[in-house]
Amino acid sequence: MLCAGLDDEFLPALNAISSKVTLEKGENLFIEGDRSTYVYNVIEGFLRLSRLGQDGRRQVLGFLTTGDYLGHTSRSEYTLSAEALSDLKVCRFRREDLQGLLSTYPRFERQFHHMTAGLLDDMLDLVFTIGRKNALERVASFLVYQMDRKSVSDTMPGSIWLPMTRADIADFLGLTLETVSRAFSRMKKNGVISIDHAHTINILDRGRLIDLSEGNG
Amino acid sequence: MLCAGLDDEFLPALNAISSKVTLEKGENLFIEGDRSTYVYNVIEGFLRLSRLGQDGRRQVLGFLTTGDYLGHTSRSEYTLSAEALSDLKVCRFRREDLQGLLSTYPRFERQFHHMTAGLLDDMLDLVFTIGRKNALERVASFLVYQMDRKSVSDTMPGSIWLPMTRADIADFLGLTLETVSRAFSRMKKNGVISIDHAHTINILDRGRLIDLSEGNG
DNA sequence: CGCGAGATTGATGCCGCTCAACACAAGTGG
DNA sequence: CCACTTGTGTTGAGCGGCATCAATCTCGCG
């Protein structure tokens, strides 16, 4: 499917103004400072949104996959970079073209606005997590969030595929990669999860994982 | 003025579907769990957005004042509380009524969407700040942000009026109130700011404050 | 004046960062 | 097939920044 995430009735119109882009793992879709000309929708693959401080500090703002949109901003330049974590297919719209569509299809506009508000809600959750939770709670929260995104965990129930590295997770949660690794180890020891190949996490005790994420450890 | 922050041409239509609400300092406009029926616009005064964890941990998500909107969410219930930091006047719209307006005035819809995207950009900044900056840098970043909102600092140039307590600032930045207080003291000692009455901060060296906020201390 | 909420400052302890060593898997070239 | 490399993950030891606990100070207000 091309350009997922919205009602099918809009897809033909969407496709008319979109072009398909393919990236290899490691390539950037855009970086901080690029003019924010386009909005993108992920067709297939994974990517990471991140921002770099001048001295090299990095904050990861999110991990996206099939159906997710990116590139919304109120500013004329992107304030973050988008890098492919795997081979990646996206479709691309000029923001102006999209604007035209939005005027033509009011219901589409509403859905689009609703998605932006959803991103905002996600960011509020993230702020609470990194602002007020300790390391173990943050990593548990991360797993719970990934668990709830069925597009990620649709292969094996109760197991999560994580395409990103420990360093990526750390920079997402405001931790170091060592601390993330230790949190995983503690959860293994407690029988909450098990890990086969570092990128496949099996949730053994969903209830306890949720408790951990909320500080009822 | 009623319902600020948008082009004047929409104000008559806005006013037709809005009602005015007045709160005293300390009252809640809404709390987490309330049905998200309304969207609000601040006419006058200050308020604080916050979220409470089960065990009492609090995260402040933002401080709003004249012209700011609140109540956008993709969810059917608010995930945060809004409390008046001062006597407060807001105008209130049913989301459904607003929806009708948005369909009628496409340009209004665009502006509204643009504001939501702006909130999102602000939250991304906040995530970077609390995820990757130390205590001094966070407090400096907070001051820089308040400095750049002219609606707050329009009285005296170079001085900022902070209606919130140290605890509010701490819960906004993911710190404790003591750490915030110490950060202010250090900046006083270094001649970057001076403080008269705890809620009025004078910026003595704007350049150095910005440097501090970016980690070039 | 005395009270109470908020702010400042100090002493101590702990969680997560830093530095470092080692483990493990995938890829490369001989 | 093995030796070597490279990227990534795990585990350990020690340290430091911020939290915690606590005392004192300031200011507005009855």
Side-chain angles (χ1 to χ4, degrees):
Chain A
M1 190 200 339
L2 187 57
C3 298
L6 290 161
D7 277 6
D8 291 341
E9 66 173 296
F10 307 123
L11 288 184
L14 259 186
N15 289 340
I17 62 164
S18 75
S19 57
K20 199 164 160 183
V21 180
T22 306
L23 278 83
E24 291 180 8
K25 176 176 174 171
E27 288 186 306
N28 282 305
L29 192 54
F30 55 80
I31 64 172
E32 312 177 54
D34 284 357
R35 287 200 62 76
S36 53
T37 317
Y38 300 103
V39 175
Y40 303 87
N41 175 264
V42 181
I43 301 169
E44 189 190 335
F46 296 89
L47 59 81
R48 161 174 34 82
L49 302 178
S50 65
R51 182 180 297 189
L52 222 52
Q54 344 189 37
D55 53 359
R57 279 180 275 189
R58 189 181 67 147
Q59 176 67 44
V60 170
L61 283 320
F63 303 101
L64 307 184
T65 186
T66 306
D68 292 326
Y69 280 76
L70 65 155
H72 304 84
T73 176
S74 66
R75 300 172 187 168
S76 60
E77 300 180 352
Y78 297 119
T79 58
L80 41 78
S81 305
E83 182 182 328
L85 290 175
S86 66
D87 290 350
L88 183 69
K89 285 181 208 159
V90 301
C91 62
R92 186 180 72 180
F93 321 88
R94 296 192 156 276
R95 291 170 74 189
E96 323 149 15
D97 294 343
L98 190 62
Q99 213 55 268
L101 256 197
L102 295 178
S103 309
T104 316
Y105 300 96
R107 272 200 50 227
F108 179 37
E109 171 117 49
R110 221 168 304 157
Q111 284 189 39
F112 202 71
H113 187 271
H114 191 264
M115 284 189 324
T116 308
L119 285 179
L120 184 57
D121 286 329
D122 282 352
M123 280 303 128
L124 294 177
D125 291 343
L126 181 59
V127 168
F128 185 88
T129 295
I130 67 182
R132 282 295 171 230
K133 292 183 181 177
N134 66 29
L136 191 64
E137 292 163 358
R138 292 188 208 185
V139 175
S141 300
F142 174 72
L143 289 181
V144 170
Y145 179 69
Q146 296 297 330
M147 213 169 56
D148 291 344
R149 309 194 61 184
K150 66 175 183 339
S151 53
V152 176
S153 61
D154 52 0
T155 44
M156 297 264 291
S159 88
I160 308 176
W161 167 245
L162 299 177
M164 70 294 286
T165 67
R166 298 291 189 262
D168 290 334
I169 299 173
D171 286 344
F172 180 62
L173 296 173
L175 299 168
T176 60
L177 64 92
E178 294 95 331
T179 300
V180 170
S181 183
R182 278 184 247 270
F184 278 128
S185 296
R186 281 183 60 185
M187 289 192 279
K188 273 195 297 188
K189 198 173 296 180
N190 297 349
V192 179
I193 63 171
S194 70
I195 301 180
D196 307 333
H197 291 291
H199 289 278
T200 310
I201 312 290
N202 305 302
I203 311 294
L204 302 180
D205 190 339
R206 189 190 173 98
R208 251 183 80 61
L209 182 65
I210 293 175
D211 283 347
L212 284 183
S213 76
E214 291 172 349
N216 311 319
Chain B
M1 192 202 335
L2 188 58
C3 298
L6 290 160
D7 277 5
D8 291 340
E9 64 173 298
F10 306 124
L11 287 184
L14 259 186
N15 289 340
I17 62 164
S18 76
S19 56
K20 200 164 162 184
V21 179
T22 306
L23 278 83
E24 290 180 7
K25 176 175 175 173
E27 288 186 305
N28 282 305
L29 191 55
F30 54 79
I31 64 172
E32 312 176 54
D34 283 357
R35 288 199 62 77
S36 53
T37 316
Y38 299 102
V39 175
Y40 303 87
N41 175 262
V42 181
I43 301 170
E44 188 189 337
F46 296 90
L47 59 82
R48 160 176 33 83
L49 302 177
S50 66
R51 182 180 296 189
L52 221 52
Q54 342 188 38
D55 53 359
R57 279 179 276 190
R58 189 181 67 148
Q59 176 66 45
V60 170
L61 283 321
F63 302 101
L64 307 184
T65 185
T66 306
D68 293 325
Y69 280 77
L70 65 154
H72 303 85
T73 176
S74 66
R75 300 171 187 168
S76 60
E77 300 180 353
Y78 297 120
T79 58
L80 40 78
S81 305
E83 181 182 328
L85 289 176
S86 66
D87 290 350
L88 183 69
K89 284 182 207 158
V90 300
C91 61
R92 186 179 72 179
F93 321 88
R94 296 193 154 274
R95 291 170 74 188
E96 323 149 15
D97 294 343
L98 189 63
Q99 212 55 266
L101 255 198
L102 295 178
S103 309
T104 315
Y105 300 96
R107 272 199 50 228
F108 178 37
E109 171 116 49
R110 221 169 304 159
Q111 284 189 38
F112 202 72
H113 187 271
H114 192 264
M115 284 188 325
T116 308
L119 285 179
L120 184 57
D121 286 330
D122 282 353
M123 280 302 128
L124 295 177
D125 291 344
L126 180 59
V127 168
F128 185 88
T129 295
I130 68 182
R132 281 294 171 233
K133 292 182 181 178
N134 65 30
L136 190 64
E137 292 163 359
R138 292 187 208 186
V139 175
S141 299
F142 173 71
L143 289 180
V144 170
Y145 179 67
Q146 296 297 330
M147 212 170 56
D148 290 345
R149 308 193 63 185
K150 64 176 184 339
S151 52
V152 176
S153 61
D154 53 0
T155 43
M156 296 264 291
S159 87
I160 308 176
W161 166 247
L162 301 176
M164 69 293 287
T165 67
R166 297 292 188 261
D168 290 334
I169 299 173
D171 286 344
F172 180 63
L173 296 173
L175 298 169
T176 61
L177 65 92
E178 294 94 332
T179 301
V180 170
S181 183
R182 278 183 247 269
F184 278 127
S185 296
R186 281 183 60 187
M187 288 192 281
K188 273 195 298 188
K189 198 172 297 180
N190 297 348
V192 178
I193 62 171
S194 69
I195 301 180
D196 306 333
H197 293 290
H199 290 277
T200 309
I201 313 290
N202 305 301
I203 311 295
L204 302 180
D205 190 338
R206 189 191 173 97
R208 252 182 79 62
L209 183 65
I210 294 176
D211 283 347
L212 284 183
S213 76
E214 291 172 348
N216 311 320

